[in-house]
Amino acid sequence: MTHPATQGTQAPPGGQTAQDDQAQDLALELAATRAELAELREKLDEYEQTLRAIRLGEVDALLVAAVPGQEQVFTLSSADRPYRNFVESMSDGAATVSSSGLVLYANQALATLVESTCRQIVGAPLLDLVQPSSRPSLHRLDPSSGPVEAALSTTTGTSVPVRISSSAPFRVNGETITCITVIDLTGERLAEAKLEHLARHDALTGLPNRTLLTERIAAAIAERAGTDHLVALLFCDVDGFKNVNDAYGHQVGDQTLRVLARRLSDAVRPGDTVARIGGDEFVVLCRGLSEVQAATAIASRIRAAIAVPLRTAPNPLDITISIGIALAPGGDPDTSADSLLRDADEAMYKAKRQGPNVIEVFDEPLRVVAASRLLMLTELRRARIGGELLLHYQPVMNLETETSTGTEALIRWQHPARGLVPPDQFIPFAERTGLIIDIGAWVLGEACRQASIWTGGIAGGQPMEMSVNVSGRQLAQGAGLVHDVRRALADSGIDPNSLVLEVTESALMDDAAAALRVVNELKSLGVRIAIDDFGMGYSSLVYLKNFPVDLLKIDRSFVAGLGHDQQDSAIVRSVIDLAHALGIKAVAEGIETTEHLRILQGLGCSYGQGFLWSPGLPPAKAGDRLRLLSPTGTGTSAPLSRTSAIES
């Protein structure tokens, strides 16, 4: 259809070209308009999506770039949005960060962490919140490699250790952002520092412990190399401190140790180290001394400070201290922390033997003694590994029937050069060095194994009672001793009631409360407990009444006087009467004559052992002797003479 105005007319020549140009311009203009409309629709759609996201709480902030390089960040709030409520209530810091490193959103926890406000943080570079030394670690932040640790800077200039984690980058409204969480490590660092302090300091006094002392000794020895200066160790041991605990209890004892620690610290020079390495033992490390007299002068000041009566108990306490001094000369390259401690310890023991309240300096004669002890330590370790330790067994007799009820295991050392070494020549040394822990565990296992063999071969299937000595050092282990006993019982399969653990009176009373806990645990295994060498220590009858004890063993020194020493006879009678009153059995050691036997029978003593029947014998001979002495034995059970018993 044509337009009416053009009907019947003819376009002039050349007019078609102008009309075509006009149409083309119009088409181009129309296309541009359509493009603008499409762009507007796209922006409207984007704005609509943004408004919808805002309404749904999916946007934390808007980044507006009116002028390039001068972007403005506008945070959004939506009180009813669950996600925002969650983030705002977090105890850890949280933020969203743009691809250029600007903070788009920060929760209140992060603001509090850096002592600022959310308004001040948002729009600022994240790196501004981080200390310069930590910024390289922030560049390594990646969700695939886990969190990084850094330090934030607060507005007041303090440093806050944190752990920062990040999400993978994602896009919101065309902007790439990352979410991060910031965890405050201040509490963790304080806990770590506390643990580190506890690991290197004594819990009771706060003084350095053996670990820290050893480090400082090594450092002092290294510093003095090539100089004329001396390094001195003063090994201080409180004389008779056990009496304080026995008389007033451990609470007074602990308070006394704290006061002694303060007095020691006040008596030494600034820069000297005072350490507590256990019990009532303190060590003072002194650097930069010019002569031995300087060390003895410090020791004298310590002794004088300790001598002032203490008011930690109901009555004033007069405390003395034994001090051993060891010196490391500047020209001695072989001195170590361990050797210096060992020398000071040796000097202290010499002071103890001369004391109380004596100061002794380590010298050449003591070095010979120390070398001898070191040799014994090496040989004793080799003996344990090389099978040189062995057990002998002595029968335990029922004094009424004069037949054997079991046996006691007695350790011996078959030395390759010195022959059979009795226990009194090496057990105290094993106690002092701690080797007794390993040796004691072996004795328990071997004795229970032998009891299992004899139960089937001698006792006719009836449990063969086995007595084993337990040292004070083993008892102090607590759980370690219980573990060793449980394992020995399990490995041997013997009846727990047939195992008797003998603990000395002094070991039980050294820390009666702790010992009672361990003994109760041992009793729960079904074993029996004997107090060995009763009468030789300073036991408290109050504690004795509470201990679940089955047997009291009367020391051989009292039995030896029976029949001719009235005091010994009175002590033996009293111990037997005490056992009867407590409802337990008495065992007499060291019975050597028939007179001893008859007197003990008359006093009602239940059990005994001694050379009258047999000394300690190796397993094969002990087995033969036990067969003769057992209630079902085929041979005579008559006592041996002392001479024949020794010769057997």
Side-chain angles (χ1 to χ4, degrees), residues 528-543:
R528 291 186 291 162
I529 305 295
I531 298 184
D532 197 15
D533 299 338
F534 188 79
M536 297 297 292
Y538 306 94
S539 66
S540 166
L541 293 180
V542 173
Y543 275 113

Side-chain angles (χ1 to χ4, degrees), residues 169-187:
F170 59 95
R171 293 183 67 80
V172 174
N173 298 331
E175 172 72 12
T176 300
I177 67 171
T178 301
C179 294
I180 65 170
T181 57
V182 183
I183 300 174
D184 185 2
L185 298 181
T186 302

Side-chain angles (χ1 to χ4, degrees), residues 487-632:
R487 184 174 59 183
L489 291 171
D491 291 347
S492 64
I494 67 170
D495 181 354
N497 193 56
S498 67
L499 177 60
V500 179
L501 301 179
E502 299 187 6
V503 186
T504 63
E505 181 183 6
S506 57
L508 285 175
M509 293 304 121
D510 187 47
D511 188 344
L516 180 58
R517 289 192 294 270
V518 179
V519 170
N520 281 328
E521 287 190 62
L522 293 170
K523 287 290 291 182
S524 70
L525 301 179
V527 304
R528 291 186 291 162
I529 305 295
I531 298 184
D532 197 15
D533 299 338
F534 188 79
M536 297 297 292
Y538 306 94
S539 66
S540 166
L541 293 180
V542 173
Y543 275 113
L544 180 61
K545 180 183 69 174
N546 294 327
F547 274 104
V549 174
D550 301 281
L551 300 163
L552 285 184
K553 298 197 73 173
I554 307 169
D555 188 71
R556 65 183 65 250
S557 62
F558 301 126
V559 174
L562 285 178
H564 58 84
D565 187 305
Q566 291 184 350
Q567 288 186 335
D568 285 349
S569 298
I571 291 173
V572 171
R573 181 183 297 106
S574 298
V575 173
I576 294 172
D577 289 343
L578 176 62
H580 290 164
L582 294 173
I584 59 181
K585 304 294 185 182
V587 185
E589 297 181 299
I591 302 174
E592 298 187 357
T593 68
T594 54
E595 183 182 15
H596 291 163
L597 174 61
R598 300 308 171 211
I599 293 174
L600 289 165
Q601 287 173 328
L603 293 173
C605 187
S606 302
Y607 304 106
Q609 59 191 103
F611 285 170
L612 179 62
W613 295 280
S614 175
L617 298 171
K621 289 185 177 181
D624 292 339
R625 190 62 186 153
L626 286 169
R627 288 185 181 90
L628 291 174
L629 297 173
S630 68
T632 58

Side-chain angles (χ1 to χ4, degrees), residues 128-180:
D128 285 357
L129 304 179
V130 182
Q131 288 197 342
S133 59
S134 293
R135 289 173 184 174
S137 64
L138 209 62
H139 292 306
R140 299 192 304 270
L141 189 62
D142 187 283
S144 62
S145 58
V148 299
E149 294 192 358
L152 300 186
S153 294
T154 71
T155 55
T156 58
T158 58
S159 173
V160 181
V162 295
R163 183 180 293 118
I164 303 176
S165 303
S166 74
S167 70
F170 59 95
R171 293 183 67 80
V172 174
N173 298 331
E175 172 72 12
T176 300
I177 67 171
T178 301
C179 294
I180 65 170

Side-chain angles (χ1 to χ4, degrees), residues 83-251:
Y83 172 73
R84 181 175 297 281
N85 288 342
F86 170 73
V87 173
E88 286 297 340
S89 64
M90 285 175 57
S91 59
D92 299 325
T96 54
V97 184
S98 72
S99 58
S100 61
L102 294 178
V103 178
L104 304 178
Y105 165 79
N107 70 350
Q108 184 57 47
L110 180 60
T112 302
L113 203 59
V114 295
E115 300 179 9
S116 184
T117 64
C118 296
R119 185 181 297 275
Q120 289 176 313
I121 295 174
V122 170
L126 178 63
L127 288 180
D128 285 357
L129 304 179
V130 182
Q131 288 197 342
S133 59
S134 293
R135 289 173 184 174
S137 64
L138 209 62
H139 292 306
R140 299 192 304 270
L141 189 62
D142 187 283
S144 62
S145 58
V148 299
E149 294 192 358
L152 300 186
S153 294
T154 71
T155 55
T156 58
T158 58
S159 173
V160 181
V162 295
R163 183 180 293 118
I164 303 176
S165 303
S166 74
S167 70
F170 59 95
R171 293 183 67 80
V172 174
N173 298 331
E175 172 72 12
T176 300
I177 67 171
T178 301
C179 294
I180 65 170
T181 57
V182 183
I183 300 174
D184 185 2
L185 298 181
T186 302
E188 185 177 321
R189 292 289 181 266
L190 289 174
E192 289 173 354
K194 184 176 181 180
L195 287 174
E196 174 67 15
H197 181 85
L198 290 174
R200 299 154 68 85
H201 290 79
D202 173 53
L204 179 65
T205 63
L207 295 175
N209 61 10
R210 183 184 290 269
T211 300
L212 183 53
L213 172 68
T214 302
E215 292 175 3
R216 291 186 179 179
I217 295 172
I221 290 173
E223 288 171 4
R224 68 86 174 91
T227 72
D228 294 331
H229 294 159
L230 299 174
V231 174
L233 277 192
L234 282 60
F235 202 116
C236 309
D237 186 273
V238 181
D239 298 319
F241 184 74
K242 179 179 179 297
N243 296 332
V244 176
N245 283 330
D246 289 345
Y248 301 108
H250 287 273
Q251 186 173 358

